[in-house]
Amino acid sequence: MIDKTLADCKQAVAPVFDGATVMFGGFGNVGMPGQLMEALLLQGTRDLTVISNGAGSGDFALAALFRERRVRKLIASFPAPTSKHFRECYLKGEVELELVPQGTLVDRIRAGGSGLGGFYAPAGVGTELAAGKETRVINGREYLFELPLHADFVFLKAHRGDRFGNLCYRGTMRNFNMVMATAGKLVVAEVEEIVPAGSFSPESVHTPGIFVDHLVQVARHPGLADKPSEETAP
Amino acid sequence: MMLTRDGIAYRIARDLPEGGYVNLGVGIPILVANYLDPGKEIFIHSENGILGVGPKPARGQEDPDLISAGKGFCTLALGASLFDQTLSFAMMRGGHLSHAVLGAIEVAANGDFANWRVPGQAVPGVGGAMDLAVGAPNIFVAMSHLTNKGKPKIVNTCSAPLTARGCVKRIYTDLAIIDVGTDALVLREFMPGHDPSGIRAKTEAELTIAADCREIDVPETFNGVPLRQ
């Protein structure tokens, strides 16, 4: 019998090694695998390359990984002005930032997860984010060549899952989780409830279990359970 | 007389059509949602995966899993849909939205604009601004006509880091509405108490005056909120 369930987050993050590349789902606090992040923090793994839309806020989860100087490089679209721990690391030169337009970030992950060697994107043409990138004119329009992104470990957050690894989300939790699920060597989802197989209809599976190696049932991170922070985005 | 931030938002809302699919950036643009004509069905897109953003929830009614791009709680409008980032950016970059309303630091005569990085900003963050700028067919910019120091924000060439080249279609400021034409910027409307030559004096880039150039028509207040000052 297939059972991808793990006992706890500690077990889920145990394989993560120093220097690993790790993707985290989430946009703002919604869909952020906060409990897996906390477990990684406790484990003490260092020199991580993190791929995430932002850099976390407040003093917990993703933000705490910066506070504890566990991240060597961040690949992101929007480290918010409220990401105080990232900001401190960045200003001291303790973390490298690769800034990527959000849509390009999404599709670099999609390319990594779906076997593509890269793609031409229009976002960033003529801007400082085009520096060093190959350009090509296609049908009269200029594009930048963008490389795929792939991770050693992908940590997701979903609403419900079953023992096969099928996941479903609620509200705006899908955000980066669905595409990141495709782009990791080892993919682990934090879910609020593991339900018996067959509980949700095949039509309502958002992430098919083929992409998910493990899942762990854990209560929502207390920092993410109340009001999300009022960050600003462009 | 000038438009308030709400006044700019009110005026933009008048130009959004029935059946529009519109992304609203932070700042003045997000205020546009408060002034949409209830007689028009318009879908508000949020880059984190919503088409059909509704009003802010009442206190105590917030759903912790339902936020819009500004990271505040939201509700869903009739006919709304939820999706992931891949589909959301296909909408944005693939030309499927009808309009995007964005804030700006500067707009140049050729439609170049800068809005993602304030000069001197310590930590850069771009988010979806560049994807939206290259993808939405009608980019409306909402901003003050002048900087805090009284310098024109409509310039010959942007000095702040660019968001995208040549994509702005129309500029709404507290003083004027200006179209980005193929050859020149065209002044379409100006605030009562000003005249086209006064607007020209506050604009670094050359302005052509539209044949039917007229005063901006915005009421004094809306639901008690001042629209003019």
Side-chain angles (χ1 to χ4, degrees):
Chain A
M1 190 175 91
I2 298 169
D3 188 0
K4 298 185 176 182
T5 306
L6 295 180
D8 55 28
C9 292
K10 188 180 170 191
Q11 195 184 354
V13 302
V16 184
F17 50 87
D18 289 351
T21 298
V22 182
M23 278 184 200
F24 293 119
F27 179 101
N29 288 340
V30 176
M32 181 189 272
Q35 300 282 18
L36 288 168
M37 289 166 170
E38 295 289 352
L40 197 56
L41 187 71
L42 277 176
Q43 182 168 279
T45 316
R46 317 191 63 82
D47 297 323
L48 298 171
T49 293
V50 168
I51 302 169
S52 160
N53 187 52
S57 60
D59 204 29
F60 55 89
L62 182 54
L65 288 171
F66 290 102
R67 186 191 67 212
E68 300 302 323
R69 304 296 191 266
R70 303 289 169 72
V71 184
R72 186 184 62 76
K73 179 177 179 181
L74 174 68
I75 302 174
S77 89
F78 195 72
T82 51
S83 303
K84 61 179 179 181
H85 292 301
F86 171 78
R87 179 189 169 89
E88 191 187 326
C89 296
Y90 182 75
L91 294 180
K92 287 183 176 170
E94 292 171 349
V95 65
E96 184 188 340
L97 173 64
E98 181 178 340
L99 196 68
V100 184
Q102 196 170 329
T104 299
L105 181 63
V106 172
D107 280 292
R108 287 182 64 187
I109 297 165
R110 200 183 79 80
S114 53
L116 302 176
F119 59 97
Y120 287 94
V125 168
T127 77
E128 61 186 61
L129 297 190
K133 289 184 178 166
E134 177 200 330
T135 61
R136 182 166 168 184
V137 175
I138 302 168
N139 293 330
R141 190 176 189 193
E142 193 175 333
Y143 294 83
L144 304 177
F145 183 66
E146 299 286 353
L147 290 164
L149 284 172
H150 208 268
D152 298 308
F153 301 93
V154 171
F155 293 117
L156 310 175
K157 158 85 184 196
H159 180 50
R160 291 197 176 105
D162 66 19
R163 64 181 173 84
F164 298 116
N166 294 315
L167 304 176
C168 75
Y169 306 89
R170 68 180 296 278
T172 53
M173 284 168 70
R174 274 181 251 192
N175 56 57
F176 279 84
N177 286 296
M178 284 178 64
V179 70
M180 284 183 173
T182 67
K185 284 186 197 142
L186 190 85
V187 178
V188 182
E190 164 183 335
V191 301
E192 284 159 41
E193 191 184 2
I194 294 177
V195 297
S199 296
F200 32 76
S201 69
E203 289 92 341
S204 63
V205 173
H206 297 139
T207 295
I210 187 172
F211 296 116
V212 179
D213 296 291
H214 300 297
L215 70 168
V216 55
Q217 176 178 309
V218 60
R220 186 186 289 254
H221 188 291
L224 308 181
D226 56 14
K227 189 173 164 38
S229 64
E230 296 286 337
E231 293 176 13
T232 56
Chain B
M1 189 179 290
M2 294 161 71
L3 289 177
T4 60
R5 288 160 58 84
D6 285 278
I8 298 171
Y10 176 94
R11 181 62 190 78
I12 293 169
R14 306 279 75 70
D15 286 350
L16 297 175
E18 163 96 354
Y21 292 96
V22 183
N23 185 293
L24 302 173
V26 295
I28 297 169
I30 198 68
L31 299 174
V32 172
N34 300 335
Y35 300 103
L36 293 173
D37 179 350
K40 290 183 202 164
E41 289 194 315
I42 294 172
F43 279 91
I44 305 296
H45 172 266
S46 181
E47 70 195 31
N48 60 320
I50 308 173
L51 200 54
V53 178
K56 264 190 183 172
R59 201 171 275 271
Q61 299 298 305
E62 298 93 346
D63 179 336
D65 292 328
L66 203 55
I67 62 169
S68 60
K71 317 252 173 33
F73 290 118
C74 66
T75 60
L76 299 177
L78 180 70
S81 51
L82 295 165
F83 36 84
D84 85 317
Q85 291 288 285
T86 313
L87 213 50
S88 190
F89 280 83
M91 292 175 194
M92 293 161 74
R93 216 179 31 208
H96 304 284
L97 298 178
S98 61
H99 297 75
V101 186
L102 302 170
I105 302 161
E106 287 174 324
V107 181
N110 64 354
D112 289 0
F113 83 116
N115 83 341
W116 74 279
R117 189 170 190 180
V118 182
Q121 182 184 333
V123 181
V126 64
M130 291 183 181
D131 307 279
L132 203 51
V134 298
N138 291 295
I139 302 289
F140 288 177
V141 159
M143 66 179 188
S144 60
H145 205 91
L146 302 171
T147 66
N148 293 340
K149 292 176 181 164
K151 292 211 161 135
K153 291 168 80 169
I154 303 169
V155 294
N156 289 317
T157 308
C158 292
S159 56
L162 276 195
T163 301
R165 295 193 301 215
C167 62
V168 175
K169 288 286 192 295
R170 183 172 271 195
I171 309 163
Y172 295 81
T173 76
D174 42 7
L175 295 177
I177 300 172
I178 294 168
D179 277 347
V180 181
T182 42
D183 307 314
L185 297 177
V186 181
L187 178 66
R188 303 220 69 96
E189 298 183 22
F190 56 90
M191 277 305 281
H194 296 261
D195 58 30
S197 62
I199 303 297
R200 267 187 171 152
K202 291 178 165 63
T203 307
E204 182 189 291
E206 186 72 23
L207 275 187
T208 301
I209 314 298
D212 59 347
C213 187
R214 59 185 186 272
E215 290 190 344
I216 295 176
D217 180 19
V218 162
E220 198 69 39
T221 61
F222 182 85
N223 286 342
V225 180
L227 301 182
R228 299 188 296 189
Q229 62 187 18

